[in-house]
Amino acid sequence: MHNKRTNEPIKGGTLASDLFGKIPEPGKTPTIAGLKKSAEKLREPIRKRRENPARIPREIFPECRENSAQITAVWPFITNEAFTATMDNYRVYISRYNEMIKAKNAEIEKYNAEVDEYTKNTELDEVQKKYPELFLKTNSGKKAVQFNDLAEHFNKDFGMLIKKRPLTTVKYASELVFKQILHIYTSQLNKQTSEYIKLGTTEAKPLKKLEINAWHITELRRNEVASIDVCIQTIRNHRERLEEAGVLIGYIFRGHEKGVWMDINPQIISIFDAKTQKYASAENQRVTPETHKEFVDKQIVYKTNKRNIKKKENGRAGSPEKGTASPGLSFVFYKNIPRQVGKSDAPGGAENVKVLTPSEKLASNLLPAQDLAIRLAGGEYNSYTPIDIRDFHKEAYNGTLTREEFKEIVIQEFFKNAAKLWRDVTPYPGSWKKAINSWMEKQFQYKNGNEIGTYNKSLMAEKLAEFRWRIHHAHKWFLKSGVKRLYPSDYFDFTRQERQEIGFEYTKKSWQNHLKYLETKPVNEKKKAKNAELRKRQINHSKKFETALNRFIKNRITFEELFSYVSENLPPEFRGKLSETLLKLSASKVSYSIFDAPSAEC
């Protein structure tokens, strides 16, 4: 096949590349110098390369704004009047743009008519008939402007085989999206200008770039209803349409997880300078108010579900008289089995070795009250090792002892454990005997009308665990305070319930505080973990803040970039800290200016 313009044979490699829409450019053969230049370009700062991405511009008529001046202001704001004027300018601009698109489409229609005439009057072979199919297979996903340029180059080389696509006008739906974008930009500009006012800046500067995040636009609410009920992809499509029209310009990609940076066409945007009390652009000074919507971001209220902590129902009675259930409702009665005879009846008087049951093991620890008092006074239990509390619980649910027997074992076990309080003194046996008798008479007893009963065994086992904790707590308190102990008969007196009386009954309050601590312990542990996480996060944020501030002081970033970084990546309190820090540095005569840093490229 021959080239129609030069009448020279087309090389196979060139033909293949042309068919797929890759227009060959002469003089682009790789050279050593070119490779070195590419390597140096890769060593450029990442941000510089991101600001100038290899991206095909989407704007259809860029020549219409080549001479448009950039807007500068000292304290820029978008007031209600400026908002209205901007929307009016937008409608005028889009009306003119749509007229240009219609004129362009008329030219495209004439061009496509030439394609129809060529294909109608020209006989194509089988290979030529495949050209349009191959071209469309590669370029069907491209935008209309780029597709039309490729089609025109293709048709010049291979004949009028590909039709151009008509361009799309900007519809009313794009105006609604632009209105939301302008609302977002109003909020962003107000935040930065507030910082400029705090710093007392008086120099005019270019407007900050608009950050467009499609998700933020879809989340705008008015009276708890979406301001524009569309999906994220729809917002992106309209943003591209506005970019094609030249309404949004200066595209900068900042990563897939952040919004893009763009500018609003200076011919459209209207800015009020609060410093000069004038509009920043002579072309955009219309201040006629117009009824328009104001959108309020939805306030999200986070509710914390309080964790219900189940309290134990048994073992927390403040005294034997309160909180004790009726025996007919919850008590479990066990059959009293007669004890087995320990000695054999066989002749010869030999004893049989017999394994005791758990109930019999507990019963073997019982002593007469007088013998126990004498041993306690003699110090035999000053270093007593308590019986495992699990043995008492097993007996309570599966044992054979009666309640009265179990009660006596529990009381004697408690007094053996309490003997450590009097290691350095020697109370009389009578004092111990009086305390034991008082407990056997009044402890673990309840009244139900005229009836007097005994706690069930499970409750007595739980109370024994409580008494052990309370006596251990009292032992630590006596060692720490150095207070002299009363005799057992006085210390275990049920009437000594005040702190000044130094009796065992007052330790109930310490036990109740211990129970509250156990209940709140999981919550407190979660609070500690959360506070630790917040502290680490605050330290991390402070380091990021200091790093960004040092980069600004060294003129590596502009104030706009510093403010944008602090606003987007750090908690709100750091935005206020930014102006305070800069004012302090300025007061200390640090030799820098917030405008000395290189300005961002637009």
Side-chain angles (χ1 to χ4, degrees):
M1 186 173 182
H2 293 74
N3 191 315
K4 293 184 180 296
R5 290 184 295 179
T6 61
N7 199 27
E8 294 179 359
I10 297 178
K11 296 180 180 180
T14 304
L15 175 62
S17 63
D18 286 346
L19 286 175
F20 289 95
K22 300 176 182 178
I23 305 167
E25 299 181 21
K28 292 298 182 179
T29 306
T31 61
I32 299 298
L35 293 176
K36 288 183 178 179
K37 187 176 181 181
S38 300
E40 291 178 358
K41 185 177 181 180
L42 290 175
R43 287 193 288 269
E44 292 179 0
I46 294 177
R47 183 181 171 279
K48 184 176 180 181
R49 284 187 275 136
R50 280 187 175 179
E51 288 183 353
N52 300 279
R55 178 176 181 267
I56 299 174
R58 293 195 175 98
E59 193 169 352
I60 296 178
F61 303 113
E63 64 277 2
C64 296
R65 62 170 187 86
E66 286 182 354
N67 298 325
S68 60
Q70 193 176 31
I71 297 178
T72 59
V74 182
W75 295 342
F77 284 99
I78 299 179
T79 60
N80 292 341
E81 292 79 7
F83 192 100
T84 302
T86 300
M87 294 305 303
D88 289 344
N89 295 335
Y90 169 86
R91 297 183 187 101
V92 173
Y93 180 91
I94 291 299
S95 177
R96 294 174 181 174
Y97 170 80
N98 286 340
E99 292 297 327
M100 297 173 65
I101 290 294
K102 291 177 182 178
K104 193 75 173 177
N105 286 338
E107 296 177 4
I108 292 174
E109 288 181 6
K110 292 180 180 179
Y111 186 88
N112 291 340
E114 294 178 7
V115 174
D116 291 336
E117 185 178 356
Y118 177 83
T119 55
K120 182 178 180 180
N121 299 329
T122 305
E123 293 184 4
L124 304 177
D125 55 24
E126 294 299 326
V127 177
Q128 290 176 320
K129 291 179 180 179
K130 290 290 184 180
Y131 288 171
E133 181 181 347
L134 293 173
F135 181 87
L136 294 174
K137 184 176 181 180
T138 306
N139 302 298
S140 59
K142 291 182 171 62
K143 297 294 181 180
V145 176
Q146 185 186 7
F147 180 89
N148 293 345
D149 289 341
L150 294 172
E152 187 173 351
H153 282 85
F154 180 90
N155 291 339
K156 287 179 181 179
D157 292 336
F158 302 103
M160 303 291 286
L161 300 176
I162 306 297
K163 289 184 178 182
K164 291 185 178 181
R165 292 177 177 174
L167 304 179
T168 306
T169 57
V170 177
K171 304 298 191 297
Y172 176 71
S174 297
E175 179 180 335
L176 298 179
V177 174
F178 177 74
K179 199 169 186 179
Q180 311 308 313
I181 293 175
L182 185 60
H183 170 73
I184 290 285
Y185 187 50
T186 301
S187 176
Q188 295 174 5
L189 196 61
N190 289 349
K191 289 180 181 179
Q192 179 170 308
T193 304
S194 299
E195 297 301 320
Y196 279 130
I197 294 175
K198 291 179 183 178
L199 295 171
T201 59
T202 57
E203 298 180 25
K205 51 202 166 293
L207 300 180
K208 80 177 296 294
K209 282 192 170 292
L210 157 67
E211 180 184 355
I212 303 178
N213 188 312
W215 182 82
H216 290 165
I217 296 175
T218 59
E219 287 298 306
L220 288 176
R221 295 287 186 272
R222 184 180 182 184
N223 297 330
E224 301 301 324
V225 178
S227 297
I228 180 168
D229 191 11
V230 295
C231 66
I232 294 176
Q233 188 57 44
T234 301
I235 298 296
R236 290 172 179 166
N237 293 339
H238 284 288
R239 187 202 71 201
E240 293 179 2
R241 187 61 50 79
L242 293 173
E243 186 181 1
E244 289 178 353
V247 176
L248 301 177
I249 58 179
Y251 177 98
I252 295 179
F253 178 72
R254 303 170 57 231
H256 295 285
E257 296 182 356
K258 295 183 178 180
V260 299
W261 272 352
M262 302 194 76
D263 293 314
I264 298 178
N265 193 326
Q267 299 175 10
I268 297 175
I269 187 69
S270 178
I271 295 295
F272 179 77
D273 193 338
K275 178 66 175 177
T276 62
Q277 294 295 308
K278 296 180 180 180
Y279 282 84
S281 174
E283 294 80 12
N284 300 332
Q285 288 190 353
R286 175 175 177 176
V287 294
T288 304
E290 176 184 306
T291 304
H292 62 281
K293 300 180 181 179
E294 296 202 5
F295 302 97
V296 180
D297 292 338
K298 179 180 179 182
Q299 297 179 352
I300 304 174
V301 180
Y302 296 93
K303 296 182 179 180
T304 304
N305 293 325
K306 295 183 178 180
R307 185 179 180 184
N308 294 325
I309 302 175
K310 185 177 180 180
K311 299 181 179 180
K312 295 181 180 179
E313 296 181 358
N314 294 327
R316 293 197 186 177
S319 63
E321 295 78 15
K322 296 180 180 180
T324 307
S326 172
L329 297 177
S330 60
F331 288 173
V332 180
F333 294 91
Y334 300 93
K335 184 178 180 181
N336 185 18
I337 302 177
R339 300 181 185 178
Q340 299 180 2
V341 180
K343 295 184 178 181
S344 173
D345 296 334
E351 284 187 0
N352 292 332
V353 178
K354 187 174 81 66
V355 178
L356 299 178
T357 64
S359 299
E360 291 171 341
K361 286 182 180 179
L362 284 177
S364 64
N365 294 293
L366 276 176
L367 294 172
Q370 183 63 28
D371 292 347
L372 177 61
I374 294 174
R375 292 189 179 188
L376 288 171
E380 293 187 21
Y381 298 106
N382 288 351
S383 299
Y384 176 71
T385 301
I387 300 174
D388 194 333
I389 193 65
R390 291 173 294 183
D391 293 342
F392 288 95
H393 285 289
K394 290 178 182 178
E395 170 61 28
Y397 291 101
N398 301 313
T400 59
L401 297 177
T402 63
R403 293 189 183 185
E404 292 299 329
E405 291 172 336
F406 190 78
K407 170 186 172 181
E408 188 175 1
I409 295 171
V410 167
I411 291 176
Q412 289 195 9
E413 173 66 18
F414 166 71
F415 278 104
K416 293 175 183 178
N417 194 39
K420 60 186 176 182
L421 291 179
W422 290 271
R423 286 175 180 173
D424 53 347
V425 293
T426 55
Y428 295 107
S431 177
W432 281 108
K433 179 68 182 311
K434 186 176 181 181
I436 294 172
N437 291 340
S438 175
W439 272 55
M440 285 297 300
E441 179 183 355
K442 299 179 181 180
Q443 192 61 270
F444 302 137
Q445 300 290 329
Y446 68 91
K447 291 183 178 180
N448 187 11
N450 295 328
E451 181 183 359
I452 298 177
T454 305
Y455 285 10
N456 66 6
K457 293 194 292 184
S458 62
L459 186 55
M460 284 189 282
E462 291 184 3
K463 294 295 286 184
L464 175 61
E466 174 190 336
F467 293 158
R468 283 180 174 179
W469 186 93
R470 288 165 59 183
I471 205 68
H472 179 68
H473 176 78
H475 182 236
K476 292 191 298 181
W477 183 83
F478 279 121
L479 292 177
K480 182 178 179 179
S481 63
V483 176
K484 185 178 180 180
R485 300 154 186 79
L486 300 175
Y487 283 118
S489 57
D490 295 328
Y491 182 71
F492 292 109
D493 186 355
F494 292 110
T495 61
R496 291 180 177 268
Q497 298 180 357
E498 300 297 327
R499 180 178 181 180
Q500 296 80 359
E501 295 176 308
I502 313 177
F504 181 72
E505 289 300 308
Y506 185 74
T507 59
K508 286 180 182 179
K509 293 187 177 181
S510 298
W511 170 250
Q512 292 169 358
N513 293 335
H514 175 65
L515 293 179
K516 292 179 181 179
Y517 166 76
L518 293 180
E519 290 178 357
T520 58
K521 185 177 181 180
V523 179
N524 293 335
E525 292 296 330
K526 290 183 68 175
K527 286 183 179 179
K528 288 181 180 179
K530 186 176 180 180
N531 292 336
E533 182 181 355
L534 291 176
R535 287 196 306 271
K536 293 179 181 178
R537 192 178 301 172
Q538 186 70 11
I539 293 172
N540 187 30
H541 289 157
S542 299
K543 290 181 178 178
K544 290 181 178 180
F545 177 80
E546 293 175 0
T547 302
L549 186 62
N550 289 334
R551 293 184 64 198
F552 169 70
I553 293 174
K554 295 177 181 178
N555 288 340
R556 294 181 179 176
I557 59 175
T558 64
F559 177 78
E560 179 181 338
E561 292 169 334
L562 173 64
F563 178 78
S564 177
Y565 176 81
V566 172
S567 300
E568 296 172 2
N569 299 280
L570 299 179
E573 59 267 20
F574 282 90
R575 193 163 59 241
K577 183 180 178 182
L578 176 62
S579 57
E580 295 177 4
T581 305
L582 291 178
L583 288 174
K584 289 180 181 178
L585 291 174
S586 179
S588 62
K589 298 183 180 180
V590 177
S591 59
Y592 78 94
S593 171
I594 63 174
F595 303 108
D596 290 340
S599 60
E601 297 180 12
C602 295

